[in-house]
Amino acid sequence: MEFAFCDQEIAAHRLTKDEYREILRRLGRSPNRAELGMFGVMWSEHCCYKNSRPLLGQFPTQGPRILVGPGENAGVVDLGEGLRLAFKIESHNHPSAVEPFQGAATGVGGILRDIFTMGARPIALLNSLRFGDLEDGRTRTLAAGVVAGIAHYGNCVGVPTVGGEVYFDPHYQGNPLVNVMALGLMETKEIVKSGAQGIGNPVLYVGSTTGRDGMGGASFASAELSEQSAADRPAVQVGDPFLGKALIEACLEAFQTGMVVAAQDMGAAGITCSTSEMAARGGVGIEFDLDRVPARETGMTPQEYLLSESQERMLLVVQAGKEAQIKEIFHRWGLQAVVAGRVIPDPVVRILFQGQVAAQVPTVALVEDTPVYHRQLLEQPPAYAQSAWAWCAADLPPCSAAGLGPERPWSQVLQQLLGGPNLATKQWIYRQYDHQVQNNTVLLPGGADAAVVRLRTLGQPGPHRGVAATLDGNGRLVYLDPYRGAQAAVAEAARNLSCVGAEPLAVTDNLNFGSPETPVGYWQLATACRGIATACAALGTPVTGGNVSLYNETLGPDGQPQAIYPTPVIGMVGLVEDLERLCGQGWVRKGDLVYLLGTGAPISLGGSEYLASVHHTLAGRPPAVDFARELKVQTACRGGIRQGWVASAHDCAEGGLGVALAEACISGCLGATLTISGAGRWDEVLFGEGGGRILTSVSPSHQGAWEAYLTEHLAGEWRCLGGVGGDTLTIHSQDGSTLIQVSLEDLTQAWQQGLTRYLA
Amino acid sequence: MGGQYSAQVYITLRPSVLDPAGAAVQVGLVNLGYDMVSQVRIGKYIQLTLEAPSLELAHREVDRACSQLLANPVIEDYRFDLTAS
């Protein structure tokens, strides 16, 4: 068959020859250049999930609190008392790799638009970051740029950045992950949907002007990074947070009038994506005139208009006759607002340019029945996983109660762990963020396992309620075992919420993976998705949407693509019924008793931070997640917090029990003396990792009530380890020998210098 | 023949890149009555003094410095004038 475009042009739009043949079949003719560009972006993984859609279908998405599930700009959950929360996570990995500051900043701008497009006012931001080895100067530049970019947009737009997580590992070298999550409270009576309605209704273009920035970002985001990416650099957009703030206010004001029928933000693939998705969701067509679009550059071609990813732009469908009133609102906020199109009965996207039809594509051809690739799943776990699972702790050098040999006492190992960039304080990062603007942040970054933001109900008496949010995803565990690792991420997110006293409600997930076209890559993706689906079902936290970022790979020096760790990031939100009953992670009072909940939970050194940073070994298999125990431990913790017995609660995560105890000491500026028992290796007891364990502290005055409660609800799964006090962390074994004894000052110093050694 | 050179480096945003500060200044100017101003683009001006064996080598070094540190080639263009001083 003779193609109107040569192979290179088709490949430049990142379409395969088969996909091009399918376009010819759907149109019944050759596409023109503008139409080819539209198909290129709409059929990218970023927009149509062609590799992941069959896998996402298994996620549980229903629940009594779920008002809006996957498919809209953001998920919405019912918080009761008339409050509704919109939330969503999105990645900006590829733009951040090329231009860290603007890439991360526009990632924040993009996720905020998803929230206020629904009619919600953004109330909080979180971010999940992954970088390479900090010893490398390029990593330090990337990390500093990304953090500054997030701070720039978030701080200027006036939305607090309240929490998040960051890991450093050579597997992310050159391909950092920048995932941003936003939460918003609905301000409008009706949730604003994105389906265009009402034949003849005007289509308004509002916000900023259109330039050539961000050309083809969506298809760029779906490609591997290579040295060539430097030449792709014009794909970087520049955000304007002050204009973004004006757009938030103008949109919320416009939605309040009830005259806006539908709204969609212009993110990836700009005008192409917003017109075709609005038309397809409404079952109608849209005619759109590019000559009306306010441009800030001259001589732009239709294709450039259609693919531009200029920031801070939205498309609204407005009731016929009300366009003047809506335009007036946007003009008052100093924003562009023009009628650039109308809703038409034919289900097509018709683009006009200089009086001619520049592109006309059936919406169904663009957004529905888009290509889907069902790939063959490996029948056996790949060789790398099988050999990792063959590892066991006995392969490590012998150790004793004194330490790893006479030269390496456990106290020193603990300080080494705390001083590593993955466990050290992230203060250098979150100090750059304004985490208190809007004046509703109750639990600040660094002090608790999850962030908590006050739900301000004006004029309402009674206990103040709050929303808690967390982001979790340990890529190393998912690499070693995608199923267990992904389950562990969901379980940890729920546990973090439970540790502050919040009831987990719902999930938004960001799937960061390598190429699904390799058998191992697809196995990782498919197996992790199954893990997330089963975990969310077991914990009763439906998935309301998210983002998929594939092809996170860099070309190594040998020319072979090297994938990142498969990294699903789980964003979870929870409800705090009473802000008076909240928990941080640090000890609160001298003399309080320390309890470990979930004492029977299986732990392992496989994939642990200890194994990676002390023994430089990537091996082992994370323990299976026991959801029955997980639910019991978390429910007991929340119950203790609600009763007012539990004064502090902290999840035993990376670094195991030893690091969790140290973190509770550092956060609370109080020492503790504890006795732990264990069978097997002492490093496994101290630093082994696994879910289902929470460390709590309780005042002796509540000892009787708390222990009776635990005996009833968590029989055989709890133990009192000792008490809070003094200025050292002292850990004895059950036979009386001292495992660890470190002064609070030394612990704190190691922990505080972990990041600032590299980033200053 | 070695000597001292001075370079005047001009760094501007690439034409396709949005300049929020420039746009804000343009609006400010119009509000003050300068309504003839239709566009403002803000850049940086950097002066360098350097020693080099020749004008050619000085040119090469300044060019390298610009692309590595002074300008962000992802979003900025640069040009410079170089003279013996």
Side-chain angles (χ1 to χ4, degrees):
Chain A
M1 192 192 295
E2 190 71 20
F3 288 170
F5 294 95
C6 67
D7 292 356
Q8 283 93 335
E9 276 177 294
I10 295 169
H13 287 282
R14 298 192 170 97
L15 290 163
T16 66
K17 277 192 187 172
D18 283 341
E19 286 168 351
Y20 185 74
R21 277 192 205 97
E22 178 63 20
I23 294 169
L24 291 183
R25 195 188 65 74
R26 291 187 180 196
L27 291 180
R29 61 177 168 86
S30 290
N32 63 29
R33 196 167 296 278
E35 290 163 345
L36 183 68
M38 292 167 78
F39 276 104
V41 292
M42 292 308 293
W43 285 12
S44 67
E45 179 70 29
H46 189 91
C47 290
C48 86
Y49 306 110
K50 59 189 168 194
N51 288 293
S52 51
R53 194 144 30 102
L55 302 171
L56 303 179
Q58 62 189 317
F59 290 165
T61 58
Q62 307 283 321
R65 287 188 183 271
I66 309 298
L67 298 175
V68 176
E72 283 290 340
N73 286 300
V76 181
V77 292
D78 187 359
L79 298 179
E81 297 180 16
L83 292 178
R84 292 157 299 162
L85 181 81
F87 69 107
K88 171 93 178 285
I89 191 168
E90 197 153 271
S91 69
H92 240 211
N93 304 338
H94 290 77
S96 303
V98 176
E99 162 47 30
F101 184 94
Q102 294 296 347
T106 51
V108 175
I111 192 62
L112 289 176
R113 276 199 308 281
D114 280 338
I115 298 301
F116 68 76
T117 302
M118 308 288 294
R121 174 175 295 277
I123 57 167
L125 286 163
L126 295 91
N127 56 73
S128 173
L129 312 176
R130 300 289 182 282
F131 301 106
D133 186 353
L134 274 175
E135 294 284 353
D136 181 51
R138 237 169 64 86
T139 301
R140 294 196 294 271
T141 307
L142 272 176
V146 164
V147 171
I150 293 172
H152 167 68
Y153 205 104
N155 296 359
C156 291
V157 81
V159 179
T161 302
V162 296
E165 53 153 19
V166 57
Y167 291 92
F168 302 90
D169 192 290
H171 284 78
Y172 301 104
Q173 201 80 23
N175 194 127
L177 301 186
V178 178
N179 294 178
V180 193
M181 174 174 166
L183 279 62
L185 272 184
M186 295 294 307
E187 278 199 352
T188 54
K189 229 184 292 165
E190 301 293 328
I191 295 168
V192 182
K193 297 285 182 69
S194 58
Q197 300 288 334
I199 307 302
N201 275 344
V203 175
L204 262 68
Y205 167 111
V206 300
S208 184
T209 50
T210 297
R212 286 191 181 87
D213 46 350
M215 292 289 306
S219 45
F220 168 68
S222 305
E224 292 121 344
L225 286 174
S226 65
E227 280 307 306
Q228 195 63 42
S229 301
D232 289 342
R233 276 172 170 175
V236 168
Q237 321 92 313
V238 172
D240 181 347
F242 297 108
L243 205 148
K245 169 67 175 168
L247 191 58
I248 294 176
E249 299 303 334
C251 280
L252 292 178
E253 192 178 331
F255 297 155
Q256 294 281 13
T257 64
M259 299 170 190
V260 177
V261 177
Q264 167 91 355
D265 81 298
M266 286 195 227
I271 292 174
T272 301
C273 187
S274 51
T275 51
S276 51
E277 287 193 354
M278 290 185 86
R281 285 180 189 156
V284 294
I286 286 181
E287 184 180 82
F288 195 83
D289 187 353
L290 297 179
D291 297 325
R292 309 269 186 91
V293 171
R296 62 164 171 271
E297 293 186 70
T298 52
M300 286 175 64
T301 64
Q303 193 192 345
E304 288 172 330
Y305 274 108
L306 286 169
L307 302 187
S308 164
E309 296 192 357
S310 291
Q311 297 289 297
E312 286 91 25
R313 301 180 302 161
M314 308 268 291
L315 213 55
L316 310 181
V317 174
V318 171
Q319 288 172 7
K322 309 291 189 192
E323 49 268 49
Q325 289 171 63
I326 298 297
K327 274 163 69 175
E328 191 275 326
I329 293 173
F330 284 89
H331 289 156
R332 187 151 37 77
W333 285 99
L335 298 168
Q336 304 282 346
V338 292
V339 175
R342 62 194 175 89
V343 178
I344 55 175
D346 297 348
V348 297
V349 174
R350 186 183 300 141
I351 304 294
L352 306 178
F353 182 67
Q354 296 177 350
Q356 309 265 322
V357 174
Q360 176 160 324
V361 184
T363 54
V364 175
L366 269 180
V367 281
E368 279 168 25
D369 301 323
T370 47
V372 174
Y373 296 113
H374 294 272
R375 298 185 191 277
Q376 193 65 38
L377 186 62
L378 292 176
E379 286 176 13
Q380 295 285 323
Y384 88 84
Q386 298 204 25
S387 74
W389 295 352
W391 177 91
C392 71
D395 298 346
L396 289 174
C399 67
S400 68
L404 269 175
E407 303 295 306
R408 308 283 312 271
W410 294 125
S411 301
Q412 192 198 330
V413 173
L414 175 63
Q415 287 176 76
Q416 184 192 340
L417 282 171
L418 286 172
N422 286 338
L423 294 181
T425 174
K426 305 301 182 295
Q427 204 177 27
W428 183 87
I429 293 172
Y430 64 73
R431 269 191 60 172
Q432 299 184 48
Y433 303 147
D434 186 338
H435 34 81
Q436 285 180 296
V437 64
Q438 296 190 7
N439 205 16
N440 284 324
T441 313
V442 184
L443 287 180
L444 305 182
D449 285 14
V452 175
V453 176
R454 184 180 298 115
L455 292 168
R456 198 177 282 222
T457 38
L458 284 176
Q460 294 241 348
H464 289 291
R465 305 190 310 149
V467 62
T470 181
L471 286 173
D472 289 286
N474 183 331
R476 187 164 55 222
L477 298 183
V478 182
Y479 171 78
L480 291 170
D481 187 331
Y483 183 70
R484 291 181 179 181
Q487 286 191 328
V490 179
E492 183 176 347
R495 208 177 318 120
N496 283 335
L497 295 181
S498 295
C499 282
V500 298
E503 183 202 343
L505 296 181
V507 163
T508 178
D509 68 311
N510 206 132
L511 304 174
N512 307 278
F513 285 77
S515 167
E517 294 168 31
T518 65
V520 170
Y522 185 72
W523 175 79
Q524 292 175 338
L525 177 65
T527 314
C529 284
R530 195 162 56 85
I532 294 172
T534 49
C536 287
L539 295 174
T541 50
V543 178
T544 63
N547 176 259
V548 179
S549 170
L550 302 181
Y551 303 96
N552 287 289
E553 309 194 335
T554 51
L555 288 182
D558 54 353
Q560 293 297 311
Q562 293 172 330
I564 59 160
Y565 280 147
T567 311
V569 172
I570 304 299
M572 199 181 280
V573 294
L575 182 62
V576 178
E577 285 291 353
D578 182 358
L579 287 177
E580 301 291 310
R581 297 280 160 89
L582 272 186
C583 260
Q585 65 180 37
W587 312 134
V588 175
R589 279 174 307 263
K590 200 177 149 196
D592 278 3
L593 299 167
V594 175
Y595 291 83
L596 178 65
L597 314 185
T599 47
I603 53 171
S604 162
L605 286 177
S608 67
E609 184 64 30
Y610 166 80
L611 196 60
S613 62
V614 176
H615 295 284
H616 309 289
T617 302
L618 171 63
R621 188 178 192 188
V625 179
D626 178 348
F627 288 104
R629 175 185 287 111
E630 194 71 60
L631 282 168
K632 265 166 61 178
V633 166
Q634 292 185 23
T635 308
C637 177
R638 290 198 303 271
I641 294 171
R642 201 167 309 127
Q643 294 290 338
W645 299 324
V646 173
S648 77
H650 187 28
D651 162 38
C652 296
E654 283 83 17
L657 180 61
V659 166
L661 286 166
E663 287 170 343
C665 289
I666 295 168
S667 280
C669 299
L670 285 165
T673 302
L674 312 134
T675 303
I676 61 175
S677 57
R681 297 173 59 96
W682 279 113
D683 47 6
E684 201 166 71
V685 175
L686 286 169
F687 307 119
E689 298 174 17
R693 295 191 300 167
I694 295 176
L695 198 61
T696 56
S697 69
V698 172
S699 159
S701 61
H702 297 307
Q703 183 179 6
W706 170 239
E707 290 188 358
Y709 174 85
L710 288 179
T711 305
E712 187 185 342
H713 292 99
L714 204 61
E717 284 280 358
W718 62 274
R719 196 166 53 234
C720 181
L721 301 182
V724 175
D727 50 13
T728 64
L729 170 64
T730 306
I731 304 178
H732 299 295
S733 72
Q734 71 269 39
D735 61 15
S737 54
T738 303
L739 297 165
I740 284 178
Q741 184 156 37
V742 201
S743 75
L744 193 54
E745 197 183 329
D746 289 348
L747 283 180
T748 308
Q749 200 172 4
W751 181 74
Q752 279 185 337
Q753 290 173 354
L755 264 196
T756 47
R757 261 189 301 147
Y758 302 101
L759 299 163
Chain B
M1 186 189 66
Q4 199 173 54
Y5 298 89
S6 72
Q8 289 84 43
V9 185
Y10 302 88
I11 296 164
T12 49
L13 285 170
R14 291 169 71 151
S16 318
V17 172
L18 174 68
D19 180 5
V25 169
Q26 190 263 338
V27 172
L29 285 171
V30 169
N31 289 345
L32 286 175
Y34 298 93
D35 43 13
M36 72 295 275
V37 179
S38 62
Q39 201 188 20
V40 176
R41 304 282 288 175
I42 297 175
K44 276 184 287 196
Y45 169 66
I46 298 172
Q47 289 177 316
L48 300 177
T49 306
L50 65 157
E51 306 277 341
S54 69
L55 183 68
E56 200 174 74
L57 285 169
H59 190 279
R60 206 171 69 193
E61 289 306 306
V62 173
D63 192 59
R64 253 163 42 90
C66 285
S67 61
Q68 281 194 337
L69 180 69
L70 302 181
N72 175 357
V74 179
I75 53 172
E76 292 171 329
D77 289 328
Y78 63 84
R79 65 178 181 82
F80 58 86
D81 303 325
L82 187 66
T83 48
S85 53

